[in-house]
Amino acid sequence: MQHDGNPRFATEMSLRDGCTVLVVRGDIDLESAPEFMAAVESAVNGTSRLALDFRAVGFMDSTGLAVLVAAHKRLGRAREAVVLIDPTPTIRRLLHITGIDALVDVRYPDAPGAQDGRARA
């Protein structure tokens, strides 16, 4: 499924090994937040784990953070239920400053010392 109402924002959903993967591209802000929320809500239906590929997300504001927290709550508040894959340094800093990185599993597959593509910063 792809959402592309905003030409600067898009998502693509797939299933891998029993986990829903949502690839997100573009900025997550007040304009794109409704699309992001709809994509995340669709992705969490019928799953216990959601992986969000954030490699192509350059900016995220509080509206995006709210969507992440809502997904975390909806999936039972387990840290491993929501996984953010390879967020940019800007997003990493935002996650750390706001404490969201304590709620969700943040993974950096290309980090030095990564084992099986799953390293944490």
Side-chain angles (χ1 to χ4, degrees):
M1 172 168 66
Q2 186 166 352
H3 296 269
D4 53 17
N6 179 342
R8 297 177 299 140
F9 180 81
T11 62
E12 186 175 328
M13 187 170 55
S14 63
L15 292 173
R16 290 186 210 147
D17 301 323
C19 178
T20 303
V21 178
L22 188 66
V23 177
V24 184
R25 294 180 186 88
D27 293 344
I28 303 171
D29 55 20
L30 189 59
E31 182 180 346
S32 63
E35 289 176 69
F36 180 52
M37 183 184 315
V40 169
E41 286 178 359
S42 177
V44 299
N45 283 334
T47 191
S48 61
R49 190 158 179 235
L50 172 63
L52 295 158
D53 184 332
F54 262 41
R55 293 170 228 244
V57 176
F59 173 83
M60 181 169 61
D61 66 12
S62 61
T63 57
L65 293 174
V67 172
L68 294 178
V69 171
H72 167 74
K73 289 178 180 177
R74 185 161 176 197
L75 292 174
R77 300 178 189 257
R79 188 169 189 278
E80 1 4 272
V82 178
V83 178
L84 274 84
I85 302 169
D86 208 13
T88 62
T90 301
I91 303 299
R92 290 178 201 175
R93 180 170 161 79
L94 177 65
L95 295 169
H96 180 70
I97 288 171
T98 59
I100 302 295
D101 62 349
L103 298 177
V104 301
D105 188 1
V106 183
R107 297 186 181 184
Y108 311 103
D110 298 327
Q115 298 174 0
D116 300 324
R118 297 180 173 193
R120 290 199 16 87

